[in-house]
Amino acid sequence: MVYKIKVIVLLACCSLIIFSCSSSNQAMPVVLSHGLDETAGDLSSYIITTDNGTYYLEKSGGGLSSMIDKDGVDWIGFHPEKGSGHKGEYRGFPNAIHKQDGSYFHAMNAGTDPATSAVEINTSEHVRIVFTSDNGQWQGQWDFYSGRLDFTMKTVSSGYKYWVQYEGVPGGEMDPTDFWYGSADNKSHPINEPFIGDLPSPEWIAFGDVKSPRMLYLFHHQDDEHPDNYVSRPHMTVFGFGRSNKDKYLTTPQTFSMGFVESVNYTEIEKTVERILP
């Protein structure tokens, strides 16, 4: 089995931040740096390092190209090679706008339209980066905290719709040992079992691999009656809030959270989502 492993070395003002045993329960700071996502075609990226994960946010497309857990495993596995399809170029998050007044908020591939970005907040507790589509009609806001990220679709192009998707590889590779939980019940579902319908409030889904001690969850802050469908592909997940087949349903500004939970227990994931709720 092949995993995409990244070694993250962050130098901040030539200082090495060391946490002693006495502060082992203290969350690490959120650190923003700039570099290349080497496993995603050397794309220029914002690199945000948090307490339990490192995110590569591609600068020209405005979507995640990699999401690295504590063990160095990438749960997205994007690369831009044209024609790679489910094996690379389709992967990412939020992949929100596809042939709907443009194609935005996806790591840059042959079909992605460009966006501009600005860092609005950069502290040890919170990093905010806002992307605006090149046609000026869409705006997406990224907020990174110690334990999670939030993506907010701030501006929706009038008369158009979007979805928010996770297309990736739980535990580093799509295989039969992968599984998912969801807010519809407390059962473990095999990765090739679809979910067709609207997730009940609070709307969330989580993906895992039996070889990993953690899971990746996605949470929609606003409950609705739109479909939140999941289907598997041989090489990646296809889950979308506000998606059914290739139809999009979201029309207003919405917020979505994503992050790792250092557990494979349903109750722990449920508690993590509940802590995010206002």
Side-chain angles (χ1 to χ4, degrees):
M1 184 172 295
V2 177
Y3 292 91
K4 292 176 65 181
I5 306 296
K6 295 176 183 285
V7 178
I8 311 299
V9 179
L10 294 176
L11 296 177
C13 300
C14 299
S15 298
L16 177 64
I17 302 174
I18 301 176
F19 291 88
S20 67
C21 294
S22 63
S23 61
S24 59
N25 293 325
Q26 184 176 350
M28 291 178 60
V30 180
V31 178
L32 171 64
S33 60
H34 305 265
L36 301 179
D37 191 343
E38 295 179 357
T39 62
D42 287 333
L43 296 176
S44 182
S45 303
Y46 295 106
I47 305 170
I48 303 94
T49 303
T50 71
D51 189 49
N52 65 352
T54 299
Y55 306 90
Y56 283 73
L57 179 56
E58 198 272 316
K59 288 185 175 181
S60 57
L64 291 183
S65 57
S66 296
M67 183 175 182
I68 316 302
D69 69 17
K70 286 184 174 181
D71 293 326
V73 177
D74 182 0
W75 289 58
I76 290 179
F78 170 84
H79 64 81
E81 181 183 351
K82 187 174 182 179
S84 59
H86 303 126
K87 295 181 178 180
E89 65 178 333
Y90 294 167
R91 299 175 183 176
F93 176 87
N95 301 359
I97 303 155
H98 178 59
K99 300 180 180 179
Q100 282 285 106
D101 192 32
S103 295
Y104 299 105
F105 308 135
H106 192 299
M108 184 59 69
N109 62 22
T112 305
D113 292 315
T116 57
S117 63
V119 177
E120 293 191 347
I121 298 174
N122 185 8
T123 72
S124 62
E125 296 180 348
H126 180 196
V127 169
R128 172 176 290 171
I129 304 170
V130 176
F131 281 82
T132 303
S133 62
D134 66 348
N135 66 2
Q137 301 303 305
W138 301 89
Q139 192 169 70
Q141 176 177 297
W142 294 86
D143 290 284
F144 296 88
Y145 304 98
S146 180
R148 74 175 199 272
L149 69 81
D150 292 348
F151 174 80
T152 301
M153 186 67 76
K154 288 188 63 180
T155 303
V156 179
S157 185
S158 179
Y160 292 94
K161 301 177 181 181
Y162 69 99
W163 53 35
V164 166
Q165 301 186 102
Y166 166 59
E167 296 178 292
V169 284
E173 185 177 28
M174 193 78 165
D175 60 50
T177 67
D178 298 338
F179 62 98
W180 60 270
Y181 295 140
S183 59
D185 59 47
N186 61 1
K187 299 177 181 179
S188 174
H189 299 268
I191 199 67
N192 61 357
E193 180 181 328
F195 177 83
I196 307 299
D198 172 33
L199 288 168
S201 179
E203 295 185 354
W204 65 267
I205 194 168
F207 295 92
D209 187 309
V210 298
K211 297 179 292 298
S212 175
R214 64 187 56 85
M215 296 188 74
L216 176 66
Y217 72 88
L218 298 96
F219 165 52
H220 184 190
H221 289 218
Q222 293 81 21
D223 182 38
D224 59 31
E225 297 181 354
H226 299 314
D228 307 303
N229 288 1
Y230 168 68
V231 294
S232 65
R233 294 290 182 264
H235 302 287
M236 72 175 192
T237 61
V238 181
F239 169 75
F241 291 112
R243 172 175 177 154
S244 179
N245 295 316
K246 294 186 178 181
D247 294 325
K248 305 170 184 69
Y249 288 86
L250 304 179
T251 59
T252 60
Q254 306 276 313
T255 298
F256 307 82
S257 293
M258 184 181 192
F260 290 113
V261 176
E262 297 301 311
S263 173
V264 295
N265 182 276
Y266 182 96
T267 302
E268 289 302 314
I269 299 164
E270 191 174 45
K271 288 179 180 177
T272 298
V273 170
E274 289 174 351
R275 285 193 289 267
I276 299 173
L277 293 169

